[in-house]
Amino acid sequence: MLKIIGKKAQNIFLLTSLLLAGSKAVAQTNDTSLPKLIEKDGRHAFLVDGKPFLILGGQAHNSSAWPALMPGVWKSVEMMHLNTLEVPIYWEQIEPQPGKFDFSLVDTLLTQARQHNVKLVLLWFGTWKNGSNHYMPEWMKRDAEKYPNITGKTGKPIDSPSPHSKATLDADIRAFSAVMLHLKQADTQHTVIMVQVENEPGSWDTVRDYSAKAQKLFEADVPADLLKPAILKALNVPVNTKGSWQQVFGDRADEYFQAWSIARFIEQVAAAGKAEYPLPLYINVALRDPLTNPPATHYESGGATDNVIPIWKVAAPSIDLLAPDIYLSGSERVLKVIDLYARADNALFVPEAGLIADNAKYFYDVLAHDGIGFSPFGIDDNGDSSNDEHLAKGLPPFAQEYVMATPMMHELAQWSFEGKIKAVVEHEDGAEQTIKLGTWDAVIKFGGGRGGELKPNQDHNGKAMIVTLDENKFIMTGTNCRVTFRPTGSNTGKAWQYLKVEEGGYDHGTFKSLRILNGDETDWGGPAIGDKPRVLQISLVVR
């Protein structure tokens, strides 16, 4: 197992070499300085400038990337202590006339991001934006026959682009390739670390396209790539099934056909872009309820929802990861989503989450699932000062987590990759939870006050994250919680005590102690953390 505990920053080159040893690059490239995703034993890391990187992100509103709005965006970036800004770029602005490109907006974003020492994730608002074609250039919107939308089951036109239009595909390939080529030429500093291809692709108001062209494809045989035994098994279909989409997939045939069609379209766009500049690429997902298996009439059909991930992985290999946008409520649903998208073949990244205080706690669970980053949506005022009150409530819970994480960002990324991080978030019942740490259990109680009876957290926003440094030594952080430990295994039931509890933080790869906690700070039910996260280094001993 790779270790970086206690190493200083000057050893980062050796550290990264160890991290790369035996790992597989997801985004293949010969340029070792390019941002890249790596995978080893089903776990993932994101390397930026050759070092493990954790995206402490935030996403601007859809229409905030224009120069007149960017001062407000940068104000929020500074308030949140982001290291990465997610920001859209618009097809309608970049290609105002066929084949004539304007990269002035992209160049402005690059310049300003460098001035603020922030990395960028660019969001390509191309053929799809939340299922619609609204960011296509005007010259495409005016030619609906050449660039058609899909047709609903009753023949009704649907406000969603057809994935079966070669003209639309060719136009998107040309534009996205031009964007990636421009980034290769204009961004030798690698300010842009990743690119989102389209935005929440799929269709609302119809499960699939029922046009004559689409129907002919639907009635044809399912592509051989989807008939491999492992894929059919993952889709809960008997092995050796063959035939049309309806014959193979039954009542899910319409949705699976739509997912395949959209994924194949986006694959061609992504592959062309990577041929110009092989940055990591991802698509974001409008989710379905992960607990009830609803029909596709209840959510955006064709996107990479959890039930069609196997289809997307086969159909779009140039897409490096499928990233869930978290707007669901309830800890059970959110934690299930995180678990579903943290896969051996998929690095976990949350590119959007509602800007509400409760969502900040899921940052910890993402890290515990070797996630590469987290980003709430709508961090700026969107040009409207009436949003200031919402931002005043929404930004601070994320900002204080990013302040905690920033000095130890590289360490957190490394620990996550190594599987050293475990976390719990408070559920709606406020019940205590246990973290298994090998020879120790950590018992987490949520709330404030001393002793066994804590004052409950009104918003159920407690959380705890523990990093295993060695068998008896841990790093802990959290909010609105208290921790105690108990020996397990051969030491079960034995007396134990804190050898040392230190409060401090990381500085250039080394933990720096600010004070030793003892007495009232450890004796009343264990060390406690209040509204603001603190970093504790805890050593234990069995007597």
Side-chain angles (χ1 to χ4, degrees):
M1 181 172 285
L2 307 175
K3 293 187 178 181
I4 63 168
I5 311 307
K7 300 294 185 182
K8 294 188 181 292
Q10 57 261 39
N11 292 328
I12 196 72
F13 178 79
L14 174 61
L15 179 96
T16 306
S17 298
L18 289 171
L19 181 135
L20 284 166
S23 65
K24 178 175 64 177
V26 178
Q28 297 292 340
T29 172
N30 293 324
D31 185 351
T32 58
S33 64
L34 272 178
K36 63 169 64 69
L37 290 160
I38 63 170
E39 179 272 330
K40 183 178 181 182
D41 299 329
R43 304 191 68 83
H44 304 87
F46 187 33
L47 301 185
V48 174
D49 299 326
K51 304 173 186 177
F53 189 84
L54 176 63
I55 294 174
L56 307 176
Q59 185 173 144
H61 279 285
N62 292 169
S63 301
S64 293
W66 300 95
L69 275 293
M70 284 305 296
V73 174
W74 293 120
K75 179 180 177 181
S76 292
V77 166
E78 293 175 356
M79 289 173 61
M80 289 188 69
H81 301 270
L82 305 186
N83 65 15
T84 306
L85 172 66
E86 296 178 27
V87 63
I89 55 175
Y90 315 116
W91 191 359
E92 62 182 350
Q93 181 275 327
I94 285 174
E95 193 179 8
Q97 298 179 46
K100 296 184 178 180
F101 299 102
D102 177 3
F103 296 114
S104 58
L105 188 75
V106 175
D107 291 339
T108 296
L109 293 171
L110 291 173
T111 298
Q112 293 185 2
R114 291 165 187 160
Q115 291 170 347
H116 289 83
N117 195 29
V118 168
K119 298 294 186 180
L120 293 176
V121 171
L122 296 184
L123 318 176
W124 172 238
F125 283 11
T127 296
W128 280 275
K129 168 63 176 75
N130 294 74
S132 74
N133 69 350
H134 297 175
Y135 281 89
M136 284 184 181
E138 290 182 19
W139 52 269
M140 295 181 70
K141 293 175 182 175
R142 294 180 187 276
D143 196 346
E145 184 175 351
K146 185 175 182 180
Y147 307 106
N149 281 351
I150 62 179
T151 301
K153 194 170 187 177
T154 63
K156 173 186 174 182
I158 302 295
D159 183 21
S160 186
S162 170
H164 309 293
S165 168
K166 187 175 186 304
T168 304
L169 173 61
D170 289 344
D172 202 340
I173 286 174
R174 180 181 65 196
F176 187 67
S177 297
V179 168
M180 296 301 285
L181 177 60
H182 181 74
L183 288 178
K184 180 179 181 179
Q185 296 169 342
D187 188 28
T188 56
Q189 299 171 235
H190 304 140
T191 302
V192 177
I193 57 176
M194 192 155 54
V195 177
Q196 176 184 293
V197 188
E198 317 299 343
N199 187 89
E200 292 188 356
S203 60
W204 299 95
D205 301 322
T206 185
V207 177
R208 68 170 174 91
D209 186 2
Y210 290 88
S211 67
K213 183 175 183 179
Q215 190 63 27
K216 184 177 179 180
L217 294 169
F218 181 75
E219 293 172 358
D221 288 346
V222 173
D225 285 345
L226 281 184
L227 297 178
K228 295 176 180 178
I231 304 303
L232 291 176
K233 184 178 180 180
L235 296 171
N236 298 311
V237 174
V239 176
N240 298 323
T241 305
K242 296 180 180 179
S244 69
W245 288 86
Q246 189 67 52
Q247 290 170 329
V248 174
F249 297 119
D251 60 0
R252 287 285 180 177
D254 290 339
E255 179 186 8
Y256 289 5
F257 173 73
Q258 180 76 337
W260 172 265
S261 301
I262 292 174
R264 287 303 301 161
F265 181 111
I266 292 176
E267 162 61 20
Q268 295 174 76
V269 175
K274 272 192 172 177
E276 298 293 347
Y277 187 41
L279 281 178
L281 304 177
Y282 74 96
I283 62 108
N284 62 329
V285 185
L287 300 174
R288 68 178 196 149
D289 188 327
L291 302 177
T292 61
N293 193 31
T297 51
H298 287 60
Y299 52 89
E300 187 179 39
S301 177
T305 48
D306 63 89
N307 58 321
V308 296
I309 289 176
I311 295 175
W312 271 84
K313 287 295 180 181
V314 171
S318 296
I319 295 297
D320 298 299
L321 61 94
L322 311 174
D325 289 347
I326 296 180
Y327 295 98
L328 299 173
S329 59
S331 59
E332 185 180 8
R333 284 184 174 84
V334 175
L335 294 173
K336 182 63 174 178
V337 166
I338 290 172
D339 187 58
L340 286 168
Y341 283 85
R343 297 163 47 111
D345 63 354
N346 195 72
L348 177 62
F349 173 47
V350 178
E352 293 186 34
L355 190 69
I356 57 175
D358 189 55
N359 280 342
K361 66 187 181 184
Y362 298 114
F363 170 57
Y364 285 26
D365 202 63
V366 167
L367 283 173
H369 283 77
D370 73 290
I372 66 167
F374 195 92
S375 177
F377 171 80
I379 64 168
D380 59 290
D381 68 6
N382 203 16
D384 185 351
S385 60
S386 66
N387 291 322
D388 289 350
E389 183 177 351
H390 171 65
L391 294 180
K393 294 179 180 179
L395 295 184
F398 294 94
Q400 65 182 19
E401 298 302 333
Y402 290 174
V403 168
M404 175 276 296
T406 294
M408 51 197 293
M409 181 269 288
H410 293 303
E411 285 72 31
L412 286 170
Q414 177 77 17
W415 291 329
S416 181
F417 180 62
E418 293 178 350
K420 293 180 178 291
I421 298 179
K422 294 189 176 182
V424 292
V425 301
E426 185 177 6
H427 295 186
E428 285 72 16
D429 62 5
E432 71 176 46
Q433 298 181 50
T434 300
I435 298 177
K436 299 291 185 180
L437 300 169
T439 58
W440 297 91
D441 283 351
V443 180
I444 310 297
K445 295 184 178 181
F446 300 105
R450 293 183 172 184
E453 294 299 325
L454 302 180
K455 182 180 179 181
N457 295 321
Q458 184 175 357
D459 298 323
H460 303 296
N461 57 1
K463 56 188 178 293
M465 177 170 62
I466 297 180
V467 181
T468 300
L469 300 184
D470 63 33
E471 183 178 355
N472 300 307
K473 191 174 182 180
F474 309 94
I475 292 290
M476 178 189 170
T477 189
T479 58
N480 297 312
C481 68
R482 182 178 295 276
V483 62
T484 189
F485 295 84
R486 59 187 177 218
T488 63
S490 60
N491 290 327
T492 299
K494 291 184 179 179
W496 68 279
Q497 68 182 114
Y498 296 105
L499 193 63
K500 185 186 291 186
V501 178
E502 300 171 273
E503 180 182 349
Y506 270 74
D507 181 17
H508 294 88
T510 301
F511 181 81
K512 301 290 187 181
S513 179
L514 297 177
R515 61 171 174 164
I516 296 175
L517 302 182
N518 210 328
D520 288 348
E521 282 66 54
T522 58
D523 292 345
W524 292 83
I529 304 177
D531 290 337
K532 294 183 179 181
R534 295 185 295 155
V535 178
L536 306 180
Q537 182 169 265
I538 301 173
S539 299
L540 308 174
V541 64
V542 174
R543 296 185 62 83

